[in-house]
Amino acid sequence: METIRGRLSHFLDSTELQARLNHYNRLTLDLGTGDGKFAFCRADAFPSHFVIGVDSCRENLHEYSRAKLPNLLFIIASAQTLPHELHGLASHITINFPWGSLLESLLNGDDRLLQGLQSVARWPAALDIRLNGGALAEQGWSLEDGTERIFENLTSTGWKIRPPEMLDSTALRAFPSTWAKRLAFGRDPRAMQLSGSL
Ligand SMILES: C[S@@+](CC[C@H](N)C(=O)[O-])C[C@H]1O[C@@H](n2cnc3c(N)ncnc32)[C@H](O)[C@@H]1O
């Protein structure tokens, strides 16, 4: 699979990945990681956890992927075709403020994404998905109805998801991701969080 550090790509196989993961028994996978700030903050705050940020777009990743943290890695991949090297590794999966095809797949119950989440998860993996009103509106959904649809798609594939929680501008301001900050100071500072586990 293709990893990125700054502007440099490196192809990492399972053996090299396992060597990096040695001594870490928890792994967070952040899908649609954007510029990787959330993954960086998590790796920095929890040195005993390994964190992998995944995004299909490499341009935004140049800055945070330069960070010299031993427990942080960034992968260029689509969330619908996650590399097989990640199978069975994630004790925690996060998807923060998805847009584009990632959000579309959550809304449509796309098997490639939902089966991918199951296959990268290590039971009993935790899952946190944060959805924002503007991105859902672009796909023709209200915040409430889009959240409900995604809730149903996840529960139908075996995730035990708790009732959604509203995130207001104060919660968004405190959340360590670039998109959360933009939303907090934007026109529609509302988001919903879906959390649960396998
Ligand atoms: C609104 S940004 C959020 C970024 C970050 N999670 C944050 O909170 O700052 C959505 C991200 O999802 C990524 N994305 C969209 N579709 C994707 C897909 N199918 N696979 C992987 N990443 C995807 C985009 O490239 C973008 O970086």
Side-chain angles (χ1 to χ4, degrees), residues 30-38 54-58 60 75-82 94-105 112-113 130 132 135 175-183:
D30 185 41
L31 299 180
T33 198
D35 64 0
K37 180 178 174 186
F38 174 81
V54 178
D55 206 283
S56 49
C57 174
R58 68 189 65 234
N60 294 336
I75 293 173
I76 303 300
S78 151
Q80 291 85 347
T81 51
L82 289 170
T94 52
I95 306 180
N96 297 318
F97 315 110
W99 68 18
S101 71
L102 180 51
L103 181 57
E104 209 176 296
S105 286
R112 295 170 309 155
L113 176 69
R130 298 172 181 94
N132 65 288
F175 190 78
S177 96
T178 296
W179 207 254
K181 294 284 180 302
R182 277 197 207 178
L183 293 170

Coordinates of all heavy atoms in Angstrom, one line a residue, residues 30-38 54-58 60 75-82 94-105 112-113 130 132 135 175-183, ligand 1:
D30 N -8.2 6.5 10.8 CA -9.0 7.8 10.5 C -9.2 7.8 9.0 O -8.3 8.2 8.3 CB -8.3 9.0 11.1 CG -9.1 10.2 10.9 OD1 -10.3 10.2 11.2 OD2 -8.5 11.3 10.6
L31 N -10.5 7.5 8.6 CA -10.8 7.5 7.2 C -11.2 8.9 6.7 O -12.0 9.5 7.4 CB -11.9 6.5 6.9 CG -11.6 5.0 7.2 CD1 -12.7 4.1 6.9 CD2 -10.3 4.6 6.5
G32 N -10.7 9.3 5.5 CA -11.0 10.7 5.1 C -10.4 11.7 6.0 O -11.0 12.7 6.4
T33 N -9.1 11.4 6.2 CA -8.3 12.2 7.2 C -8.0 13.6 6.8 O -7.7 14.4 7.7 CB -7.0 11.4 7.6 OG1 -6.5 11.8 8.8 CG2 -6.0 11.5 6.5
G34 N -8.2 14.0 5.5 CA -8.0 15.4 5.1 C -6.5 15.7 5.2 O -5.7 15.1 4.7
D35 N -6.3 16.8 6.0 CA -4.8 17.2 6.1 C -4.1 16.4 7.2 O -3.0 16.6 7.5 CB -4.7 18.7 6.4 CG -5.4 19.1 7.8 OD1 -5.9 18.2 8.5 OD2 -5.3 20.3 8.1
G36 N -4.9 15.5 7.9 CA -4.3 14.6 8.9 C -4.1 15.2 10.3 O -3.5 14.6 11.2
K37 N -4.7 16.4 10.5 CA -4.5 17.0 11.8 C -5.1 16.2 13.0 O -4.4 16.0 14.0 CB -5.2 18.4 11.9 CG -5.0 19.1 13.2 CD -5.6 20.5 13.2 CE -5.5 21.1 14.5 NZ -6.2 22.4 14.6
F38 N -6.3 15.6 12.8 CA -6.9 14.8 13.8 C -6.0 13.6 14.2 O -5.7 13.3 15.3 CB -8.3 14.3 13.4 CG -8.9 13.4 14.4 CD1 -9.5 13.8 15.5 CD2 -8.9 12.0 14.1 CE1 -10.1 12.9 16.4 CE2 -9.5 11.1 15.0 CZ -10.1 11.6 16.1
V54 N -6.1 7.9 6.5 CA -6.3 7.4 5.1 C -7.0 8.5 4.4 O -8.1 9.0 4.9 CB -7.1 6.1 5.1 CG1 -7.3 5.7 3.7 CG2 -6.4 5.0 5.9
D55 N -6.5 8.9 3.2 CA -7.3 9.8 2.4 C -7.0 9.4 0.9 O -5.9 9.0 0.6 CB -7.0 11.2 2.7 CG -8.2 12.2 2.3 OD1 -8.4 12.4 1.1 OD2 -8.9 12.6 3.2
S56 N -8.0 9.7 0.0 CA -7.8 9.5 -1.4 C -7.0 10.6 -2.1 O -6.5 10.5 -3.2 CB -9.1 9.2 -2.1 OG -10.0 10.2 -1.7
C57 N -6.9 11.8 -1.3 CA -6.3 12.9 -1.9 C -5.0 13.3 -1.2 O -5.0 13.5 0.0 CB -7.3 14.1 -1.8 SG -6.7 15.7 -2.3
R58 N -3.9 13.2 -2.0 CA -2.6 13.4 -1.3 C -2.2 14.8 -1.1 O -1.4 15.1 -0.2 CB -1.5 12.7 -2.2 CG -1.2 13.3 -3.5 CD -0.3 12.5 -4.4 NE -0.9 11.2 -4.7 CZ -0.4 10.0 -4.5 NH1 0.8 10.0 -3.9 NH2 -1.0 9.0 -4.9
N60 N -3.5 17.4 0.4 CA -3.6 18.1 1.7 C -2.7 17.5 2.8 O -2.7 18.0 3.9 CB -5.1 17.9 2.2 CG -6.0 18.7 1.3 OD1 -5.6 19.6 0.6 ND2 -7.3 18.2 1.2
I75 N -1.8 6.9 4.7 CA -1.9 6.0 3.6 C -2.8 6.7 2.5 O -3.8 7.3 2.9 CB -2.5 4.7 4.0 CG1 -1.6 4.0 4.9 CG2 -2.9 3.9 2.8 CD1 -2.2 2.7 5.5
I76 N -2.4 6.6 1.3 CA -3.2 7.1 0.2 C -4.0 6.0 -0.3 O -3.5 5.0 -0.9 CB -2.3 7.7 -1.0 CG1 -1.4 8.8 -0.5 CG2 -3.2 8.2 -2.1 CD1 -2.1 10.0 0.1
A77 N -5.3 6.0 -0.1 CA -6.2 5.0 -0.5 C -7.7 5.5 -0.5 O -8.0 6.4 0.2 CB -6.1 3.7 0.4
S78 N -8.5 4.8 -1.3 CA -9.9 5.1 -1.2 C -10.5 4.3 -0.1 O -10.2 3.1 0.1 CB -10.5 4.8 -2.6 OG -11.9 4.4 -2.4
A79 N -11.5 4.9 0.6 CA -12.1 4.2 1.7 C -12.9 3.0 1.2 O -13.2 2.1 2.0 CB -13.0 5.2 2.5
Q80 N -13.3 3.0 -0.1 CA -14.1 1.9 -0.6 C -13.2 0.7 -1.0 O -13.7 -0.4 -1.3 CB -14.9 2.3 -1.8 CG -16.0 3.3 -1.5 CD -15.5 4.7 -1.5 OE1 -14.3 5.0 -1.4 NE2 -16.5 5.7 -1.4
T81 N -11.9 0.9 -1.1 CA -11.0 -0.2 -1.5 C -9.8 -0.1 -0.5 O -8.6 0.2 -1.0 CB -10.5 -0.1 -3.0 OG1 -10.0 1.3 -3.2 CG2 -11.6 -0.4 -3.9
L82 N -10.0 -0.4 0.7 CA -8.9 -0.3 1.7 C -7.9 -1.4 1.5 O -8.3 -2.5 1.2 CB -9.5 -0.4 3.1 CG -10.3 0.9 3.5 CD1 -11.1 0.6 4.8 CD2 -9.4 2.1 3.7
T94 N -12.4 6.0 12.9 CA -13.1 7.4 12.9 C -13.3 7.9 11.5 O -12.4 7.6 10.6 CB -12.2 8.4 13.7 OG1 -10.9 8.4 13.2 CG2 -12.1 8.1 15.2
I95 N -14.4 8.5 11.3 CA -14.7 9.2 10.0 C -15.2 10.6 10.4 O -16.3 10.7 10.9 CB -15.7 8.4 9.1 CG1 -15.3 7.0 8.9 CG2 -15.9 9.1 7.8 CD1 -16.2 6.1 8.1
N96 N -14.4 11.6 10.2 CA -14.8 12.9 10.6 C -15.2 13.8 9.5 O -14.4 14.1 8.6 CB -13.6 13.6 11.4 CG -13.3 12.8 12.7 OD1 -14.2 12.4 13.4 ND2 -12.0 12.6 13.0
F97 N -16.4 14.2 9.5 CA -16.9 15.2 8.5 C -16.7 14.8 7.0 O -16.1 15.5 6.3 CB -16.4 16.6 8.8 CG -16.4 16.9 10.3 CD1 -15.2 17.0 11.0 CD2 -17.6 17.1 10.9 CE1 -15.3 17.2 12.4 CE2 -17.7 17.3 12.3 CZ -16.5 17.4 13.0
P98 N -17.2 13.5 6.7 CA -16.9 13.1 5.3 C -17.7 13.9 4.3 O -18.8 14.5 4.6 CB -17.5 11.6 5.4 CG -18.5 11.7 6.5 CD -18.0 12.6 7.5
W99 N -17.2 14.0 3.1 CA -17.9 14.5 2.0 C -17.7 13.6 0.8 O -17.0 12.6 0.9 CB -17.5 16.0 1.8 CG -16.1 16.2 1.3 CD1 -15.2 15.3 0.7 CD2 -15.4 17.5 1.3 NE1 -14.0 15.9 0.4 CE2 -14.1 17.3 0.7 CE3 -15.7 18.8 1.7 CZ2 -13.2 18.3 0.6 CZ3 -14.7 19.7 1.6 CH2 -13.5 19.5 1.1
G100 N -18.2 14.1 -0.4 CA -17.9 13.3 -1.6 C -18.3 11.9 -1.6 O -19.3 11.5 -0.9
S101 N -17.5 11.0 -2.2 CA -17.9 9.6 -2.3 C -17.9 8.9 -1.0 O -18.6 7.9 -0.9 CB -16.9 8.9 -3.4 OG -15.7 8.8 -2.8
L102 N -17.1 9.4 0.0 CA -17.1 8.7 1.3 C -18.5 8.9 1.9 O -19.1 7.9 2.4 CB -16.0 9.3 2.1 CG -15.8 8.8 3.5 CD1 -15.7 7.3 3.6 CD2 -14.5 9.4 4.2
L103 N -19.0 10.1 1.9 CA -20.3 10.4 2.5 C -21.4 9.7 1.7 O -22.3 9.0 2.2 CB -20.6 11.9 2.5 CG -21.9 12.3 3.1 CD1 -22.1 11.8 4.5 CD2 -22.0 13.9 3.0
E104 N -21.3 9.7 0.3 CA -22.2 9.0 -0.5 C -22.3 7.5 -0.2 O -23.4 7.0 -0.1 CB -21.7 9.2 -2.0 CG -22.8 9.2 -3.0 CD -22.1 9.5 -4.4 OE1 -21.6 10.6 -4.5 OE2 -22.1 8.6 -5.2
S105 N -21.2 6.9 0.0 CA -21.1 5.5 0.3 C -21.8 5.2 1.6 O -22.4 4.1 1.8 CB -19.7 4.9 0.3 OG -19.2 4.8 -1.0
R112 N -18.9 -1.9 -0.6 CA -17.5 -1.9 -0.6 C -17.0 -1.2 0.6 O -16.0 -1.5 1.2 CB -17.0 -1.2 -1.9 CG -17.3 -1.9 -3.2 CD -17.0 -1.0 -4.4 NE -17.6 0.3 -4.2 CZ -17.2 1.4 -4.7 NH1 -16.1 1.5 -5.5 NH2 -17.8 2.6 -4.5
L113 N -17.7 -0.1 1.0 CA -17.3 0.6 2.2 C -17.6 -0.2 3.5 O -16.8 -0.3 4.4 CB -17.9 2.0 2.3 CG -17.6 2.8 3.5 CD1 -16.1 3.2 3.6 CD2 -18.5 4.0 3.7
R130 N -18.6 11.5 12.5 CA -19.1 12.9 12.7 C -19.6 13.4 11.4 O -18.8 13.4 10.4 CB -18.1 13.7 13.4 CG -17.7 13.2 14.8 CD -16.6 13.8 15.4 NE -16.3 13.1 16.7 CZ -15.4 12.1 16.9 NH1 -14.7 11.7 15.9 NH2 -15.3 11.6 18.1
N132 N -21.6 16.5 9.1 CA -22.0 17.9 9.2 C -23.2 18.2 8.2 O -23.3 17.6 7.2 CB -20.8 18.9 9.0 CG -20.2 18.8 7.6 OD1 -19.6 17.8 7.3 ND2 -20.4 19.8 6.8
A135 N -22.5 19.2 4.3 CA -22.1 18.1 3.4 C -23.3 17.3 3.1 O -23.5 16.8 1.9 CB -21.0 17.3 4.0
F175 N -13.0 20.4 18.9 CA -12.6 19.2 18.3 C -11.3 19.4 17.4 O -11.2 20.3 16.6 CB -13.7 18.7 17.4 CG -13.5 17.3 16.9 CD1 -13.7 16.2 17.7 CD2 -13.0 17.1 15.6 CE1 -13.5 14.9 17.2 CE2 -12.8 15.8 15.1 CZ -13.0 14.7 15.9
P176 N -10.3 18.5 17.6 CA -9.0 18.8 16.9 C -8.9 18.3 15.5 O -8.1 17.5 15.1 CB -8.0 17.9 17.8 CG -8.9 16.8 18.3 CD -10.3 17.3 18.4
S177 N -9.8 18.9 14.6 CA -9.6 18.7 13.2 C -9.8 20.0 12.5 O -10.5 20.9 12.9 CB -10.5 17.6 12.7 OG -11.7 18.1 12.1
T178 N -9.2 20.1 11.3 CA -9.2 21.4 10.5 C -10.7 21.6 10.1 O -11.2 22.8 10.1 CB -8.3 21.2 9.3 OG1 -7.0 21.1 9.8 CG2 -8.4 22.5 8.4
W179 N -11.4 20.6 9.7 CA -12.7 20.8 9.2 C -13.7 21.2 10.3 O -14.6 22.0 10.1 CB -13.2 19.6 8.4 CG -14.2 20.0 7.4 CD1 -15.6 19.8 7.5 CD2 -14.0 20.7 6.2 NE1 -16.2 20.3 6.4 CE2 -15.2 20.9 5.6 CE3 -12.8 21.2 5.6 CZ2 -15.3 21.6 4.4 CZ3 -12.9 21.9 4.4 CH2 -14.2 22.1 3.8
A180 N -13.5 20.6 11.5 CA -14.3 21.0 12.6 C -14.2 22.5 12.9 O -15.2 23.2 13.2 CB -13.9 20.2 13.9
K181 N -13.0 23.0 12.8 CA -12.8 24.5 13.1 C -13.5 25.3 12.0 O -14.1 26.3 12.3 CB -11.3 24.8 13.1 CG -10.5 24.2 14.2 CD -10.7 24.8 15.5 CE -9.8 24.2 16.6 NZ -10.1 22.7 16.8
R182 N -13.4 24.9 10.8 CA -14.0 25.6 9.7 C -15.5 25.6 9.9 O -16.2 26.7 9.7 CB -13.8 24.9 8.3 CG -12.5 25.3 7.8 CD -12.5 25.0 6.3 NE -11.1 24.8 5.9 CZ -10.7 24.4 4.7 NH1 -11.6 24.2 3.8 NH2 -9.5 24.3 4.4
L183 N -16.1 24.5 10.3 CA -17.5 24.4 10.5 C -18.0 25.3 11.6 O -19.0 25.9 11.6 CB -17.9 22.9 10.8 CG -17.8 22.0 9.6 CD1 -18.0 20.5 10.1 CD2 -18.8 22.3 8.5
Ligands
LIG1 C1 -14.4 17.6 4.7 S1 -12.9 16.8 4.6 C2 -12.6 16.3 6.3 C3 -11.2 16.1 6.6 C4 -10.9 15.7 8.0 N1 -11.5 14.5 8.4 C5 -11.2 16.8 9.0 O1 -12.0 16.6 9.9 O2 -10.5 17.9 8.9 C6 -13.4 15.2 3.8 C7 -12.2 14.3 3.4 O3 -12.7 13.1 2.9 C8 -11.9 12.7 1.8 N2 -12.6 11.7 1.0 C9 -13.7 11.8 0.3 N3 -14.1 10.7 -0.3 C10 -13.1 9.8 0.0 C11 -12.9 8.4 -0.2 N4 -13.8 7.7 -1.0 N5 -11.9 7.7 0.3 C12 -11.0 8.4 1.1 N6 -11.1 9.7 1.4 C13 -12.2 10.4 0.9 C14 -11.6 13.9 1.1 O4 -10.4 13.8 0.2 C15 -11.4 14.9 2.2 O5 -10.1 15.0 2.6

